[in-house]
Amino acid sequence: MMAWHRLPLPKNVIFLSQYLPLRILVALFQSLTIRGATGLGAFMGRIAYAFDKTHRNIALVNLDNAYRDKLSKEKKQEIVLEVYERLGISFAHATRLKRLIRKDTWHKYARFENLGMLEKVYRENRGVILVGGHLGNWEVALQIMGIIGYPIHAVAFRLINPMVLKLLENSRRYCNLPPVLYTAENATASSIKMLKKGELIAHMVDLAGRKQGFPAEFFGQLASTARVPAILSFKTSAPILPYYSYRIGKSFKYVIGFEEPIYPTPAAGNLSRDIQNVIQKYTGSIEKIIRRNPGEWIWFHKRWKKYRTKWR
């Protein structure tokens, strides 16, 4: 007789078992004051730090490789703990966006740096490719930009669980964000159409690129990097604009900012080299953003796994 725990479960049962705890957690955060939700998010991050030995160690190794002896062991441990705390806080704050962030209230919770850069490239009417990383609270950044009049098509992988996916999509609708462009659903062709109409799309470029990855130097080492934003830029002439978000202090307050735009400038008739140069430029921008506040980035991702010959 087959053991009960090996019996295959229907997908809807699996999806429901994932969705219900998440929905309960969201309801819990929404029932608290923003101060209480922030504190609980930080506490849950500390719990995860204490028990998640695997990813905690990966983060420490990555920090060793990125900073070597420029940071002490204690400082690196402090950064990793901060990463976990901030992820918990980011989740807590994401559950409160719909209630707090509106056209007449967003300025209480966020401020912009270099907003003129976004305004300038958007007025050029050839589309804008925003590139960012998994640091700070990227959902806050995209949703506030949508509210103030910059509706952005985020490019992302479709979640397998349709219940969780619907929960996330519902949280985006209220703030003027258009539908997500899913990578498995011809996102590149859709992106080209959007850019040619002068619209905005957003890519996260800080994770290890999959089959489409291209080698770029990141913290002094080669890392497989997403090349789609660079290809789109050359296909449509749309500029690339690196962006970021950081939490300020200990409350629900964020800064959202932009780096210098990157234009698809052809060099000596070598498109492959031109694309590589653009990839390196936006990879360098993301690195610079992370260096300013390393505790905001997800150091437990194996960013350099494709080109690192050994785990030093």
Side-chain angles (χ1 to χ4, degrees), residues 208-216 223-228 279 306-307:
R210 300 193 178 187
K211 293 180 180 179
Q212 308 91 347
F214 204 95
S224 180
T225 306
R227 63 181 178 177
V228 173
I279 293 171
K306 185 172 181 179
Y307 294 102

Side-chain angles (χ1 to χ4, degrees), residues 93-157:
H93 287 181
T95 67
R96 307 303 297 267
L97 288 176
K98 190 173 181 179
R99 295 187 180 186
L100 296 178
I101 306 298
R102 301 186 302 272
K103 280 188 177 181
D104 60 333
T105 62
W106 71 264
H107 60 279
K108 296 179 182 179
Y109 305 106
R111 65 175 174 84
F112 282 95
E113 292 179 344
N114 305 321
L115 182 59
M117 291 183 181
L118 175 59
E119 293 171 343
K120 175 181 178 295
V121 293
Y122 190 53
R123 284 198 304 266
E124 292 173 1
N125 199 34
R126 49 177 171 170
V128 182
I129 304 167
L130 288 145
V131 294
H134 293 80
L135 68 157
N137 195 324
W138 52 93
E139 282 294 322
V140 166
L142 293 179
Q143 295 195 26
I144 290 180
M145 280 190 270
I147 282 174
I148 67 170
Y150 297 98
I152 299 165
H153 295 268
V155 179
F157 292 102

Side-chain angles (χ1 to χ4, degrees), residues 150-265:
Y150 297 98
I152 299 165
H153 295 268
V155 179
F157 292 102
R158 177 183 282 275
L159 296 178
I160 295 174
N161 188 324
M163 296 178 179
V164 176
L165 180 65
K166 186 176 181 180
L167 183 66
L168 179 60
E169 288 180 338
N170 286 341
S171 73
R172 294 168 178 246
R173 285 182 185 145
Y174 82 98
C175 61
N176 200 32
L177 281 182
V180 172
L181 302 177
Y182 292 111
T183 53
E185 298 170 15
N186 214 8
T188 300
S190 298
S191 296
I192 291 172
K193 291 179 182 178
M194 302 301 177
L195 292 170
K196 287 184 175 179
K197 291 192 293 184
E199 298 186 28
L200 302 102
I201 65 170
H203 277 262
M204 307 292 262
V205 296
D206 61 325
L207 302 186
R210 300 193 178 187
K211 293 180 180 179
Q212 308 91 347
F214 204 95
E217 188 174 296
F218 187 63
F219 282 88
Q221 301 168 76
L222 286 182
S224 180
T225 306
R227 63 181 178 177
V228 173
I231 293 172
L232 289 173
S233 183
F234 278 96
K235 281 183 176 290
T236 64
S237 79
I240 294 172
L241 187 66
Y243 77 97
Y244 56 86
S245 70
Y246 294 142
R247 191 166 70 100
I248 307 169
K250 296 183 179 181
S251 62
F252 191 113
K253 185 80 173 180
Y254 288 87
V255 57
I256 302 166
F258 307 90
E259 298 293 310
E260 289 288 339
I262 301 164
Y263 288 89
T265 306

Side-chain angles (χ1 to χ4, degrees), residues 292-308:
R292 287 203 294 262
N293 202 337
E296 296 279 353
W297 191 57
I298 52 169
W299 286 96
F300 45 71
H301 172 67
K302 293 184 178 180
R303 181 71 174 88
W304 297 271
K305 62 182 178 181
K306 185 172 181 179
Y307 294 102
R308 183 174 292 160

